[in-house]
């Protein structure tokens, strides 16, 4: 059991825990870390002093999730040559990226992940990680997130996975277009307009008759759909 741990020592210990995210390259980097594995590594360690942006009054589980997301983001930044950078947050809790970079952080009950890219003044990056929904959470997604057109995609044998994918795609998409929006849209203002499961890609578009129809073009969402989880990534830096 450790009672003290410096950040350099933590980053060294984390070297065996990082998992790469798909779609990384010279201009974009992403990684994830298992929350149970990080929790085991930090057993007995006070988390409050490990990151300058740490919510000091939060419960340990919240601190662990926050720390894991920031560590992933800072590891991804270092892979792009931006070292020793802390990812801040604004008054709303939104991550504040170093000048010249954009990114996104996501958490699930078992995972934290971040994707970072070099900014080009155009669109942003969105990332979302979800465990496949069941029970009341699945029913909420079906009721609040999926439009009538999207429900057509929900084959009975795999509909929990596809419903979770649609929810996750919108979460990632809204993060990527947030700076274009005057407010956060609800989950039925955008919908899947094209679905290419063999290519692990779908496209979201504003619903006809809603506020952003005709203002925001359809955009692609890449995804990785596993037996128990889904990850979605939106990279709009090529859009102007």
């Amino acid at each position: 059991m450790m009672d003290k741990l410096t950040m350099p020592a933590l980053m060294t210990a984390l070297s065996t825990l990082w998992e790469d995210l798909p779609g990384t390259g010279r201009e974009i980097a992403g990684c994830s870390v298992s929350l149970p594995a990080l929790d085991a590594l930090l057993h007995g360690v006070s988390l409050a002093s490990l990151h300058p942006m740490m919510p000091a009054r939060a419960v340990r589980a919240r601190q662990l999730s926050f720390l894991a997301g920031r560590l992933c983001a800072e590891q991804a930044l270092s892979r792009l040559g931006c070292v020793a950078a802390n990812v801040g947050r604004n008054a709303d809790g939104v991550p504040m990226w170093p000048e010249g970079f954009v990114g996104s952080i996501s958490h699930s009950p078992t995972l934290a992940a971040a994707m970072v890219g070099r900014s080009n003044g155009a669109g942003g990056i969105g990332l979302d990680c979800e465990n496949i929904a069941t029970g009341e959470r699945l029913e909420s997604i079906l009721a609040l997130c999926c439009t009538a057109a999207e429900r057509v995609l929900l084959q009975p044998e795999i509909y929990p996975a596809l419903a979770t994918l649609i929810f996750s795609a919108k979460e990632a998409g809204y993060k990527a277009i947030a700076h274009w929006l005057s407010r956060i849209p609800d989950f039925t203002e955008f919908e899947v307009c094209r679905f290419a499961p063999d290519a692990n890609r779908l496209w979201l578009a504003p619903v006809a008759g809603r506020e952003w129809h005709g203002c925001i073009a359809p955009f692609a969402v890449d995804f990785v759909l596993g037996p128990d989880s889904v990850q979605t990534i939106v990279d709009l830096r090529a859009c102007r």
Side-chain angles (χ1 to χ4, degrees), residues 6-200:
T6 64
M7 184 57 70
L10 172 58
M11 296 306 287
T12 298
L14 277 169
S15 61
T16 61
L17 298 184
W18 298 125
E19 296 288 342
D20 290 339
L21 293 180
T24 58
R26 194 177 74 174
E27 296 297 322
I28 190 167
C31 64
S32 66
V33 66
S34 161
L35 291 179
L38 181 62
D39 195 25
L41 177 66
L42 296 176
H43 179 65
V45 176
S46 173
L47 305 182
S49 63
L50 287 179
H51 195 280
M53 296 292 109
M54 179 71 74
R57 297 184 179 181
V59 299
R60 183 179 174 86
R62 167 65 181 131
Q63 288 184 337
L64 182 74
S65 179
F66 177 90
L67 176 65
R70 287 312 194 272
L71 292 176
C72 287
E74 289 156 18
Q75 173 68 8
L77 283 167
S78 72
R79 294 178 179 182
L80 296 178
C82 182
V83 298
N86 291 132
V87 177
R89 59 175 178 168
N90 66 17
D92 296 322
V94 176
M96 296 177 63
W97 301 95
E99 184 176 356
F101 295 89
V102 291
S104 182
I105 300 173
S106 184
H107 311 85
S108 76
T110 58
L111 189 79
M115 183 73 77
V116 178
R118 298 184 186 278
S119 173
N120 60 4
I125 291 173
L127 170 70
D128 188 64
C129 304
E130 302 287 340
N131 289 352
I132 301 301
T134 59
E136 292 183 1
R137 183 165 177 266
L138 175 59
E139 294 305 314
S140 294
I141 288 175
L142 293 171
L144 301 175
C145 179
C146 296
T147 66
E150 289 168 338
R151 291 190 183 97
V152 175
L153 301 173
L154 303 179
Q155 300 98 315
E157 65 276 13
I158 55 171
Y159 88 88
L162 292 180
T164 307
L165 171 59
I166 291 170
F167 170 75
S168 181
K170 293 181 182 183
E171 284 279 343
Y174 290 175
K175 290 178 183 180
I177 64 175
H179 63 293
W180 292 340
L181 307 179
S182 59
R183 59 176 177 81
I184 299 174
D186 69 48
F187 283 103
T188 58
E189 293 184 78
F190 285 72
E191 68 182 355
V192 177
C193 62
R194 181 182 171 193
F195 185 44
D198 292 342
N200 291 327

